[in-house]
């Protein structure tokens, strides 16, 4: 397992990549309304990348050419029981839906990766609670990511935030190192491990991505080989930020607008 620590100069570039992602997601948050077609979201992202000189990160990505077809879009849009990796298609958002927007961009050779979940119009109290718990888990995970600590501190902070809600923590998907590649070491499950894990050193850049289901923790995959849904069809939620561990202070969030 090789963890690639980043220099201050590399983190400066990763901040630019992250801002493109953060600002584009902030625009999309404002755009979300009942009746919006998912293909309009994909088109907006394509235009934004062109305007800002960013390169596609998700488009044509595959973790394993033999097992997964290349991902066909620039953004993952996952609605309601869809957890992650939803492919934008001709579908309109409806009042009461919740939609996860997961976006990656490559700028000057480095990747920014972030996701938000947004309610469409007025949503149920349960959906509101689900979104709050998942976003709080991300916030608390970031707060626990301090130089000198261990990766398990972050995993534990995320787990401890979600547990009291009674919702389920998804296993098998999680955060990851980020750099010149979208997925680097270490992989970060959203629950504690038996071991403390690697030390959090200045220059470590990771994406944290808590995923929470209202119902059971199990997931399924659609026939498109990408879209991950809850197995029981329950509502689910996903938030993500790319963060950098900095000397002597809290981690810096690179994907803020
Ligand atoms: N944020 C997601 C991840 O970290 C995005 C991957 S989508 C893909 O896994 F299509 F590019 F795979
Ligand atoms: Co990610």
């Amino acid at each position: 397992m090789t963890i690639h620590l980043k220099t201050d100069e590399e983190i400066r570039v990763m901040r630019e990549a992250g801002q493109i992602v953060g600002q584009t997601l902030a625009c999309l948050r404002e755009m979300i309304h009942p009746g919006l077609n998912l293909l309009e979201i994909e088109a907006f992202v394509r235009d934004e990348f062109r305007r800002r000189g960013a390169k596609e990160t998700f488009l044509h990505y595959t973790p394993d050419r033999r097992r997964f077809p290349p991902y066909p879009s620039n953004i993952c849009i996952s609605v309601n029981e869809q957890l992650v990796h939803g492919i934008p298609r001709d579908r309109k958002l409806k009042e009461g839906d919740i939609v996860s927007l997961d976006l990656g961009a490559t700028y000057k050779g480095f990747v920014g990766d972030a996701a938000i979940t947004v309610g469409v119009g007025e949503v149920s109290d349960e959906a509101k609670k689900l979104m709050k718990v998942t976003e709080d888990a991300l916030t608390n995970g970031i707060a626990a990511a301090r130089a000198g600590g261990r990766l398990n501190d972050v995993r534990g902070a995320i787990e401890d935030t979600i547990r009291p809600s009674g919702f389920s923590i998804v296993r098998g998907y999680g955060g990851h190192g980020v750099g010149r590649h979208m997925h680097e070491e270490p992989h970060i499950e959203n629950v504690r491990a038996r071991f403390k894990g690697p030390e959090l050193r200045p220059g470590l850049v990771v994406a944290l991505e808590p995923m929470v289901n209202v119902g059971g923790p199990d997931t399924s995959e659609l026939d498109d080989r990408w879209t991950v849904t809850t197995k029981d069809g329950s509502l689910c939620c996903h938030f993500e930020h790319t963060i950098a561990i900095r000397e002597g202070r809290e981690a810096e969030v690179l994907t803020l607008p």
Side-chain angles (χ1 to χ4, degrees), residues 13 16-18 20-21 49 52-59 74 103-113 178-182:
V13 178
E16 293 183 73
I20 292 172
V21 172
F49 281 9
R52 294 167 177 272
K55 289 217 183 86
E56 302 88 353
T57 307
F58 293 0
L59 188 68
N74 283 296
L103 185 63
T106 304
Y107 188 69
K108 296 181 183 167
F110 285 90
V111 172
D113 187 11
V178 189
R180 290 189 179 278
H181 301 280
M182 169 164 61

Side-chain angles (χ1 to χ4, degrees), residues 171-197:
R171 306 292 310 272
Y173 299 92
H176 49 90
V178 189
R180 290 189 179 278
H181 301 280
M182 169 164 61
H183 292 141
E184 298 185 354
E185 297 290 350
H187 175 69
I188 309 174
E189 287 280 318
N190 291 308
V191 294
R192 246 181 220 90
R194 260 172 302 147
F195 304 101
K196 287 186 284 191

Side-chain angles (χ1 to χ4, degrees), residues 38-39 41-42 58 71-91 99-103 173 220-222 224-229 236 238:
L38 305 191
L39 295 179
I41 298 175
E42 167 71 14
F58 293 0
Y71 188 73
S73 299
N74 283 296
I75 185 168
C76 301
I77 309 178
S78 310
V79 183
N80 296 337
E81 80 290 350
Q82 298 175 349
L83 177 67
V84 288
H85 303 167
I87 298 172
R89 60 180 177 83
D90 185 8
R91 169 180 180 172
V99 56
S100 148
L101 306 165
D102 184 348
L103 185 63
Y173 299 92
S220 316
E221 199 185 81
L222 295 189
D224 63 23
R225 304 299 324 276
W226 276 105
T227 311
V228 179
T229 69
C236 54
H238 174 221

Side-chain angles (χ1 to χ4, degrees), residues 2-3 12 19 21 46 48 65 67-68 73 77 82 92 95 143 150 164 166 174 176 178 231 238:
T2 316
I3 292 177
R12 202 184 57 70
Q19 278 174 6
V21 172
R46 215 181 315 114
E48 270 309 279
R65 233 153 257 294
R67 288 171 47 227
F68 297 91
S73 299
I77 309 178
Q82 298 175 349
K92 285 186 174 142
E95 176 96 20
R150 296 291 191 132
H176 49 90
V178 189
K231 196 164 203 169
H238 174 221

Side-chain angles (χ1 to χ4, degrees), residues 34-242:
L36 183 71
N37 195 303
L38 305 191
L39 295 179
E40 296 177 75
I41 298 175
E42 167 71 14
F44 178 83
V45 169
R46 215 181 315 114
D47 291 347
E48 270 309 279
F49 281 9
R50 194 169 307 130
R51 197 170 71 73
R52 294 167 177 272
K55 289 217 183 86
E56 302 88 353
T57 307
F58 293 0
L59 188 68
H60 304 321
Y61 174 85
T62 173
D64 178 350
R65 233 153 257 294
R66 282 164 313 214
R67 288 171 47 227
F68 297 91
Y71 188 73
S73 299
N74 283 296
I75 185 168
C76 301
I77 309 178
S78 310
V79 183
N80 296 337
E81 80 290 350
Q82 298 175 349
L83 177 67
V84 288
H85 303 167
I87 298 172
R89 60 180 177 83
D90 185 8
R91 169 180 180 172
K92 285 186 174 142
L93 293 172
K94 292 200 315 286
E95 176 96 20
D97 284 344
I98 65 171
V99 56
S100 148
L101 306 165
D102 184 348
L103 185 63
T106 304
Y107 188 69
K108 296 181 183 167
F110 285 90
V111 172
D113 187 11
I116 55 175
T117 298
V118 184
V120 183
E122 192 57 36
V123 302
S124 69
D125 287 344
E126 186 170 66
K128 283 181 198 158
K129 177 182 168 194
L130 173 67
M131 291 192 285
K132 179 169 174 4
V133 164
T134 311
E135 191 166 18
D136 285 351
L138 176 57
T139 303
N140 293 339
I142 293 168
R146 305 189 72 115
R150 296 291 191 132
L151 190 60
N152 222 22
D153 303 342
V154 176
R155 295 171 53 151
I158 293 172
E159 175 174 4
D160 292 345
T161 308
I162 301 166
R163 285 283 175 230
S165 69
F167 296 148
S168 299
I169 303 173
V170 176
R171 306 292 310 272
Y173 299 92
H176 49 90
V178 189
R180 290 189 179 278
H181 301 280
M182 169 164 61
H183 292 141
E184 298 185 354
E185 297 290 350
H187 175 69
I188 309 174
E189 287 280 318
N190 291 308
V191 294
R192 246 181 220 90
R194 260 172 302 147
F195 304 101
K196 287 186 284 191
E199 191 186 332
L200 301 172
R201 297 233 186 104
L204 175 67
V205 178
V206 294
L208 302 183
E209 38 188 324
M211 290 165 236
V212 181
N213 296 350
V214 164
D218 295 345
T219 58
S220 316
E221 199 185 81
L222 295 189
D223 288 340
D224 63 23
R225 304 299 324 276
W226 276 105
T227 311
V228 179
T229 69
T230 55
K231 196 164 203 169
D232 57 12
S234 71
L235 218 52
C236 54
C237 188
H238 174 221
F239 278 87
E240 176 176 19
H241 267 309
T242 301

